[in-house]
Amino acid sequence: MTARRKRLPWTWLLIAPAAVLLGVFLLVPYLNIVLMSFRPPATGAPYGPGLTLGNYQRALTDGYYLSQLGSTLWIAMLTTAATLLVGFPVAWQLARSRSRWRPVLYGIVLSPLLVGIVVRSFGWTILLGNNGVINKAARSLGLTLTPLPLMYNTLGIVIALTHVFLPFMILPVMAALQTIDPALEAAGRSLGATRRVAFRRIVLPLALPGIQSGCILVFVLALSAYVTPVLIGGMRVKTMTLTVVDTLTDAFQWPLGSALALMLSVAGGLCVVLFARATRMRWAA
């Protein structure tokens, strides 16, 4: 007990830098945003004196903001599902491969992170535009006479976000798959289970922590994405993130923008909690 008490101050000293960093750059700004959201609007100033619930009343009763919130959540969910469907086979191959080309494949997975998100999004505008590479190829092959609607809609945003955030799904899933002993699947096969049953009853439950981590990470990143929806969606697809930025910078309504930002954060947090609880209960059964 005495030795443990002597080590306790050193433990706190190790935690202190991270705690101070989180407090200064995360907790204090969030508290400022919370306080700002209760301020009344003002003319010629960021906010007026006193406190009010009018910002939240406007955000929660205006159908325009609610529809944008639903659209933002929907785009984040579609992006998460797409990255999982595309990324799981890649993570499986990287985790089980013993090929000498495995480092090359690993580098290809990480390569999108080496390029700025603005450059990647502009690259997708070249691919998905009406006169882009994909539409030109489709018309030259006789597959379509009119340009395919690949930009300025939800589909284009989801495609671009899937490419941008795919490594954040592959890496945690691959880490979880690497911890699974292939002998467990072989044992299930030897007891009469088919490959599909062994995968569903053995591999997926053991890989679920990595799947949960990847889904939550991609969902949160897609929910707060700004650059890609601006470039790919233009002004035709308005997400809550774009509205928050426009409200803060263009309309100069800091209290309303803070309320909208907190509404988006709370909605995303509730989705994450519900997803984590649902998947845990479903796989524990």
Side-chain angles (χ1 to χ4, degrees):
M1 181 66 69
T2 304
R4 184 177 179 182
R5 288 180 178 177
K6 289 182 179 179
R7 289 196 299 267
L8 187 59
W10 291 103
T11 303
W12 283 106
L13 287 177
L14 294 175
I15 298 175
V20 171
L21 188 67
L22 290 176
V24 172
F25 294 102
L26 182 65
L27 184 59
V28 173
Y30 258 102
L31 292 177
N32 187 34
I33 291 175
V34 172
L35 180 61
M36 183 75 67
S37 66
F38 289 102
R39 295 290 192 180
T43 302
Y47 55 87
L51 300 175
T52 181
L53 294 175
N55 300 311
Y56 287 100
Q57 181 180 4
R58 179 179 175 183
L60 295 174
T61 57
D62 194 323
Y64 176 72
Y65 297 129
L66 293 178
S67 64
Q68 287 189 1
L69 178 62
S71 176
T72 305
L73 293 173
W74 178 241
I75 290 175
M77 292 178 185
L78 289 178
T79 303
T80 304
T83 53
L84 180 59
L85 291 176
V86 176
F88 192 93
V90 178
W92 175 274
Q93 179 65 25
L94 289 175
R96 296 298 175 90
S97 176
R98 296 295 181 265
S99 172
R100 62 180 181 176
W101 296 102
R102 184 175 181 272
V104 177
L105 298 176
Y106 190 76
I108 294 174
V109 170
L110 295 178
S111 60
L113 300 178
L114 304 178
V115 183
I117 189 172
V118 176
V119 177
R120 282 179 283 174
S121 299
F122 266 120
W124 278 107
T125 61
I126 298 174
L127 291 173
L128 301 178
N130 290 338
N131 293 319
V133 176
I134 296 177
N135 272 308
K136 284 184 178 179
R139 287 196 298 268
S140 63
L141 295 175
L143 300 178
T144 180
L145 297 177
T146 58
L148 298 174
L150 301 178
M151 273 191 63
Y152 308 117
N153 52 30
T154 300
L155 175 62
I157 295 176
V158 171
I159 291 174
L161 289 178
T162 300
H163 169 256
V164 171
F165 298 134
L166 189 59
F168 297 99
M169 178 66 73
I170 294 176
L171 295 179
V173 174
M174 183 185 67
L177 291 174
Q178 286 176 336
T179 63
I180 303 175
D181 191 349
L184 296 175
E185 187 178 0
R189 295 289 304 279
S190 66
L191 294 175
T194 62
R195 186 183 298 272
R196 181 179 300 177
V197 172
F199 179 81
R200 180 172 58 87
R201 299 294 296 273
I202 298 174
V203 176
L204 279 183
L206 294 176
L208 185 60
I211 295 175
Q212 284 181 331
S213 300
C215 288
I216 291 173
L217 186 59
V218 171
F219 178 80
V220 172
L221 291 173
L223 193 69
S224 59
Y226 176 76
V227 175
T228 302
V230 167
L231 295 178
I232 305 298
M235 300 304 296
R236 301 182 186 179
V237 181
K238 293 281 287 186
T239 63
M240 183 62 78
T241 309
L242 274 65
T243 301
V244 169
V245 175
D246 291 342
T247 304
L248 292 173
T249 58
D250 296 340
F252 202 61
Q253 298 181 10
W254 289 14
L256 178 60
S258 300
L260 293 174
L262 289 175
M263 185 172 69
L264 178 63
S265 299
V266 171
L270 290 176
C271 291
V272 169
V273 171
L274 292 175
F275 169 77
R277 290 181 61 87
T279 51
R280 184 177 67 249
M281 290 188 296
R282 177 162 60 90
W283 287 104

